[in-house]
Amino acid sequence: MWTSKALALLLAAAPIEAAFSWSSVKTGGGGGFIPGIVFHPKTKGVAYARADIGGIYRLNSDDSWTPISDGIAQDSTWHNWGSDALAVDPQNADVVYAALGMYTNSWDPNNGAIAKSTDQGSTWTFSNLTFKVGGNMPGRGTGERLAVDPANSNIVYYGARSGHGLWKSTDGGVTFSNVTSFKNTGTYREDPSDSTGYESDIMGLLFVTFDSTSSTISGATSRIFVGVADNTTASVYVSTDAGSTWSALAGQPGTFFPHKCKLQPTEKALYLTYSDGIGPYDGTNGAVWRYDLTTSTWTNITPVSGSNLYFGFGGLGVDMLKPGYLVVAALNSWWPNAQIFRSNDSGTTWSPIWEWTSYPSMNQYYGLSTPNAPWINTGFWEVTNDEPLGWMIEALEIDPFNSDHWLYGTGLTIMGGHDLTSWDSAHNVSISTLANGIEEMAVESLASVPGGSELLVAVGDDSGFTYASSSSLGTAPASNWMAPEFTTSTSVDYAGLAVADIVRSGNSAGTQQLGVSSNGGSTWSIDYGASTTAYGGTVAYSASGDTVLWSTASQGVMRSQYTNSFTSISALPATALIASDKQNDNYFYAAYASTFYVSSNNGQTFATGGSLSGASQINYVIAHPTTAGKVYVSTNAGIYASTNFGSSFTLLTSALTNVYEIALGVGSGSTWYLYAFGTGPDGNRLYGSADNGNTWTDLQGSQSFGSIASCKLAGSGNVAGQVYVGTNGRGVFYAKGTITGGSTSGTSSTSASSTSTSHATTLTTITTSTTTTGSTATTTTHTSTAATTTSTCTVGQYYQCGGSGYTGCTNCASGYTCVAQNPYYSQCI
Ligand SMILES: *[C@@H]1O[C@H](CO)[C@@H](O)[C@H](O)[C@H]1NC(C)=O
Ligand SMILES: *[C@@H]1O[C@H](CO)[C@@H](O)[C@H](O)[C@H]1NC(C)=O
Ligand SMILES: *[C@@H]1O[C@H](CO)[C@@H](O)[C@H](O)[C@H]1NC(C)=O
Ligand SMILES: *[C@@H]1O[C@H](CO)[C@@H](O)[C@H](O)[C@H]1NC(C)=O
Ligand SMILES: *[C@@H]1O[C@H](CO)[C@@H](O)[C@H](O)[C@H]1NC(C)=O
């Protein structure tokens, strides 16, 4: 068995052809929900944020963030990009813990883990749990449910979901065991009738808060508070004997669920926010309470009452330098804006961040800017002016070393500022988006246009983005895709002979869900040939740009020429894969199951094309960007190619199997590189070939892309050796390099890496910079449905089914349609 040191030596000695070096395509604005932010209480400048499906980030001194979990979410470990809690060790600024896992139901096949880093997230070790962790589940913004004893670095508590109760480590996170004396493992289920298990799971424990002012017993903090999602008996429990016995805290308010519980040590007080829902989308009532540790008394300090109290409370920031100063947020005040309250007298009195003067006029006690992500202004604040301050505000922190510095997570981004105490002096603060470096988009489709726009990115929740040239990839776009602005864009394609012509599809019923551009995706117009009931799926633009073929999610495959009304293509099964020939306007291709189809009359009719002998499942179809009639098809058995418009196919390679998205991009000289996600000699990952599929090189290296079945792929049409990977939650990565052919010598680094899975101890060491585990060639379980929250679920009438920041189920029960009410809220009606 190799130690990691031996492994490192081996890697250094081997003649490694390095895998490509990956960077994020920049949006600068996060793009999704940030349920948790944690500052180190004792060391200035150390802070972390967790995204529900997009990994963990460390704060830098210039307000930007560095991703720190990009080496731990490979194909079989994709769920490590979900985290349900973070904790720092108060006695060691280098130590950070994360509870990792995405779903507790069947969408996530693996049990969760408590990951620990002793170098601020550069490397991680894992303590596997015997149950699942739900980082993208209801209630993920409560907490934190993971905490390190401030008096003892070896003691770590984790409050589990699903009825698994309270867990404790006494060896610094190496092993965890059940605290069986903690009896209330939670009663509340958001929707007991949800057959998917997503909302019917027991919510479980909500937070673990140590009282650092209490005495120690054998070196352990004696007083510990734990929250439970239980609104029928009690929700706040206390131990005063360092976790041996537990009881409900006397005199506590019932009725609601506690979301946050924070200690102000100088005041010797706990502050708690409560909501009638578990979050993150709900809340119509709630409260804020203060518990005085000296007198054991509870005080209701809810900032508003009566008809002004139409929300629950989530985010709670407590100033550690100025006792009595705090900030609380309405979890969701959907209209007219989020609401945040400030107190400088321990909650006795409050002032709001906005208030009505004479309706509809209001005073806004803040200025707002988004220099890091101008598209948030263009695509959100300017559109409806609803909720510019955000929604789903659960994470709200005041920097423990700077009373002016505050951050809060929303459903869209991180916001905050550097003048919070101006609230007290001038009742006005400057708020900006501060998510620079956080990229947590769910990417639906990518395209790079030869001779045209370098990158088109269709995303969930934020519409999409155009990057005109390679030099713009590092600059936050001025706008997302607007007019039409689809909440989620599902597909984008270009016309191969008219490369400024772009088409894209959106996924909400109720308005036309096709946008077309004639300037490369800079500006758009609605394709009024689309019906208002067709949505989703994929689009293919004919070579000359006169015809759109659309494999919708709702109405089968349809065709429209010259923006006329769409007509159904009855020869093609619903949800068929589609592609256009990029050089011959007459040809379209389609596939379903193992059958390939061709149209030679501009998509009017389709006939069965050549057979793919040996393949039982076609996963993706692409046409060569510059050669008419050249088509590539990825399947379970390998990649097939045709040079005669799909009349016949040959098996190009079986060196890769279970091949998902494939792409062609300009290579060196006049070659085109072929890129593919599949199972090859180095496991399930991204491979590239410079010789039309004869030999394959691992291009992924230690970079994580999550599940390969949900990755999107594009080869650059303009920059030699540049390739783009779209992930389900971590945005778009790109890299550039030269593929030299010959896969064996170039991939020894990842072959070696698979040996590190043989570390048969409780801890698996993963060094993100050099190697990775979990993607061995023997791992063949694919998780395409599991990786998507939405594929197997339905919600009923009046339930939410979409909207910016929403990551729940998007399918309405039979008879109902998901209709966008505003950019943030779609409903089944
Ligand atoms: C942990 O302990 C609690 C309380 O005794 C119990 O209800 C729960 O089933 C236990 N969980 C596991 C996974 O053992
Ligand atoms: C518990 O909370 C849920 C969700 O708000 C609510 O439907 C239920 O009535 C509450 N139960 C009690 C006993 O208050
Ligand atoms: C607070 O400051 C902002 C920007 O500086 C300004 O637009 C706003 O009007 C101010 N609010 C009030 C109530 O004066
Ligand atoms: C406390 O807050 C009130 C209300 O916003 C404000 O008028 C007062 O100046 C503040 N006092 C201090 C000392 O911050
Ligand atoms: C922990 O779980 C991961 C993935 O679920 C697995 O690859 C790894 O081998 C496990 N480690 C141990 C020590 O069991």
Side-chain angles (χ1 to χ4, degrees):
M1 195 180 305
W2 294 344
T3 66
S4 47
K5 197 172 270 181
L7 184 64
L9 286 173
L10 175 101
L11 289 172
I16 295 165
E17 178 194 2
F20 285 11
S21 169
W22 296 89
S23 313
S24 281
V25 171
K26 185 169 188 135
T27 70
F33 182 35
I34 301 290
I37 298 172
V38 172
F39 274 87
H40 195 277
K42 299 264 180 65
T43 304
K44 190 175 161 71
V46 178
Y48 303 90
R50 59 183 169 96
D52 52 4
I53 58 170
I56 307 168
Y57 301 79
R58 184 179 61 225
L59 182 63
N60 302 309
S61 58
D62 65 354
D63 281 343
S64 69
W65 300 85
T66 297
I68 55 170
S69 59
D70 277 354
I72 59 173
Q74 305 295 340
D75 179 54
S76 65
T77 54
W78 56 266
H79 83 164
N80 284 341
W81 270 342
S83 56
D84 211 8
L86 295 176
V88 293
D89 178 352
Q91 299 197 91
N92 186 338
D94 291 331
V95 171
V96 54
Y97 291 88
L100 299 182
M102 224 176 271
Y103 303 103
T104 59
N105 63 349
S106 62
W107 301 339
D108 185 342
N110 293 319
N111 285 334
I114 306 295
K116 177 183 186 179
S117 173
T118 56
D119 51 16
Q120 298 194 347
S122 296
T123 61
W124 296 92
T125 53
F126 287 74
S127 175
N128 287 352
L129 298 170
T130 54
F131 49 85
K132 293 179 183 181
V133 167
N136 195 30
M137 300 283 283
R140 57 195 179 278
T142 63
E144 298 290 309
R145 68 190 83 228
L146 184 65
V148 182
D149 189 329
N152 189 328
S153 297
N154 283 326
I155 296 177
V156 186
Y157 282 92
Y158 175 61
R161 293 171 178 267
S162 317
H164 295 302
L166 184 65
W167 291 71
K168 180 182 184 181
S169 174
T170 55
D171 54 13
V174 179
T175 57
F176 282 81
S177 54
N178 197 349
V179 181
T180 50
S181 62
F182 194 91
K183 299 294 185 200
N184 189 346
T185 60
T187 55
Y188 182 62
R189 304 163 188 262
E190 192 170 39
D191 176 7
S193 70
D194 178 4
S195 59
T196 69
Y198 183 73
E199 294 188 341
S200 58
D201 191 32
I202 290 177
M203 192 48 239
L205 274 53
L206 302 175
F207 61 78
V208 177
T209 303
F210 286 93
D211 177 4
S212 61
T213 71
S214 66
S215 61
T216 57
I217 297 174
S218 303
T221 296
S222 61
R223 188 151 53 182
I224 312 163
F225 300 91
V226 171
V228 181
D230 177 348
N231 61 347
T232 58
T233 54
S235 58
V236 182
Y237 289 79
V238 64
S239 172
T240 53
D241 53 14
S244 296
T245 61
W246 299 85
S247 57
L249 192 53
Q252 66 180 283
T255 317
F256 302 136
F257 303 108
H259 280 230
K260 300 284 168 181
C261 172
K262 290 194 180 159
L263 173 78
Q264 212 302 341
T266 317
E267 291 181 67
K268 288 202 76 170
L270 288 181
Y271 290 95
L272 297 96
T273 51
Y274 288 85
S275 176
D276 64 350
I278 207 66
Y281 311 110
D282 52 15
T284 58
N285 200 352
V288 185
W289 286 80
R290 182 177 188 273
Y291 179 73
D292 190 302
L293 292 164
T294 311
T295 61
S296 303
T297 50
W298 289 89
T299 309
N300 186 342
I301 57 167
T302 310
V304 284
S305 60
S307 61
N308 290 328
L309 181 53
Y310 54 88
F311 38 71
F313 291 90
L316 165 66
V318 178
D319 193 323
M320 294 297 153
L321 300 174
K322 299 173 75 171
Y325 285 70
L326 56 152
V327 183
V328 298
L331 174 55
N332 290 298
S333 169
W334 294 105
W335 184 89
N337 198 354
Q339 184 58 284
I340 304 175
F341 300 92
R342 170 76 161 168
S343 175
N344 56 24
D345 53 13
S346 302
T348 307
T349 60
W350 296 90
S351 66
I353 201 163
W354 60 263
E355 61 194 336
W356 298 113
T357 47
S358 164
Y359 179 86
S361 301
M362 61 167 68
N363 273 341
Q364 297 179 331
Y365 303 111
Y366 62 89
L368 206 52
S369 65
T370 180
N372 292 325
W375 58 269
I376 288 180
N377 185 49
T378 321
F380 287 85
W381 299 344
E382 280 188 351
V383 182
T384 60
N385 206 34
D386 277 354
E387 301 106 25
L389 291 171
W391 56 94
M392 294 156 68
I393 303 175
E394 294 266 36
L396 197 175
E397 296 292 323
I398 300 173
D399 184 334
F401 292 87
N402 181 348
S403 300
D404 275 317
H405 182 207
W406 65 307
L407 296 172
Y408 66 92
T410 76
L412 175 66
T413 186
I414 288 178
M415 302 178 78
H418 291 276
D419 65 354
L420 181 57
T421 64
S422 297
W423 197 324
D424 311 309
S425 53
H427 200 184
N428 205 318
V429 290
S430 304
I431 295 177
S432 299
T433 63
L434 294 173
N436 187 14
I438 294 180
E439 297 292 341
E440 62 160 323
M441 304 275 175
V443 180
E444 304 272 334
S445 176
L446 294 174
S448 177
V449 186
S453 292
E454 175 58 18
L455 185 64
L456 300 158
V457 187
V459 300
D461 295 342
D462 304 304
S463 195
F465 300 91
T466 297
Y467 295 85
S469 67
S470 193
S471 61
S472 60
L473 298 169
T475 306
S479 175
N480 55 347
W481 289 344
M482 301 288 294
E485 181 182 32
F486 305 137
T487 304
T488 290
S489 295
T490 59
S491 179
V492 61
D493 194 29
Y494 66 94
L497 293 171
V499 295
D501 290 352
I502 316 291
V503 63
R504 61 181 164 95
S505 54
N507 81 334
S508 312
T511 58
Q512 287 85 1
Q513 294 292 299
L514 270 194
V516 288
S517 172
S518 56
N519 56 14
S522 175
T523 58
W524 302 85
S525 55
I526 294 170
D527 182 343
Y528 286 101
S531 84
T532 57
T533 52
Y535 59 88
T538 54
V539 283
Y541 224 170
S542 68
S544 301
D546 54 61
T547 299
V548 177
L549 190 66
W550 187 8
S551 181
T552 68
S554 57
Q555 294 184 342
V557 185
M558 310 182 93
R559 169 190 182 266
S560 158
Q561 192 173 30
Y562 306 126
T563 70
N564 288 315
S565 298
F566 277 78
T567 54
S568 288
I569 308 291
S570 55
L572 295 178
T575 74
L577 303 166
I578 56 171
S580 54
D581 194 282
K582 290 296 172 215
Q583 296 294 318
N584 186 324
D585 199 55
N586 289 327
Y587 280 87
F588 280 99
Y589 309 106
Y592 187 82
S594 60
T595 307
F596 190 84
Y597 302 86
V598 182
S599 171
S600 58
N601 57 7
N602 191 260
Q604 294 177 65
T605 59
F606 280 79
T608 305
S611 75
L612 305 164
S613 178
S616 58
Q617 180 63 48
I618 298 174
N619 290 325
Y620 208 63
V621 178
I622 56 166
H624 194 286
T626 55
T627 306
K630 212 167 176 180
V631 192
Y632 295 77
V633 179
S634 72
T635 75
N636 61 309
I639 301 172
Y640 294 75
S642 169
T643 55
N644 56 12
F645 297 93
S647 295
S648 62
F649 284 92
T650 54
L651 179 62
L652 196 65
T653 181
S654 57
L656 303 185
T657 55
N658 298 316
V659 188
Y660 292 93
E661 286 217 2
I662 54 177
L664 286 157
V666 290
S668 40
S670 58
T671 64
W672 286 80
Y673 287 171
L674 184 56
Y675 303 103
F677 273 105
T679 302
D682 299 315
N684 302 344
R685 51 185 45 247
L686 175 65
Y687 294 89
S689 175
D691 54 12
N692 204 35
N694 277 331
T695 52
W696 293 94
T697 302
D698 169 15
L699 303 183
Q700 183 169 342
S702 60
Q703 174 66 45
S704 293
F705 296 134
S707 164
I708 65 167
S710 41
C711 282
K712 311 303 173 190
L713 191 55
S716 175
N718 306 296
V719 180
Q722 189 147 295
V723 57
Y724 301 93
V725 172
T727 64
N728 183 26
R730 245 309 263 141
V732 182
F733 292 99
Y734 70 111
K736 191 171 85 166
T738 305
I739 303 172
T740 55
S743 63
T744 47
S745 71
T747 55
S748 57
S749 63
T750 46
S751 306
S753 75
S754 63
T755 61
S756 65
T757 56
S758 66
H759 288 221
T761 64
T762 322
L763 294 175
T764 303
T765 300
I766 293 187
T767 305
T768 57
S769 53
T770 58
T771 182
T772 182
T773 65
S775 277
T776 67
T778 53
T779 309
T780 51
T781 314
H782 294 289
T783 50
S784 53
T785 53
T788 307
T789 61
T790 53
S791 54
T792 55
C793 55
T794 55
V795 290
Q797 190 180 17
Y798 304 132
Y799 276 74
Q800 185 173 12
C801 52
S804 188
Y806 177 73
T807 53
C809 182
T810 58
N811 306 312
C812 295
S814 168
Y816 302 105
T817 307
C818 189
V819 177
Q821 308 294 321
N822 59 50
Y824 319 113
Y825 190 78
S826 303
Q827 197 178 33
C828 292
I829 47 181

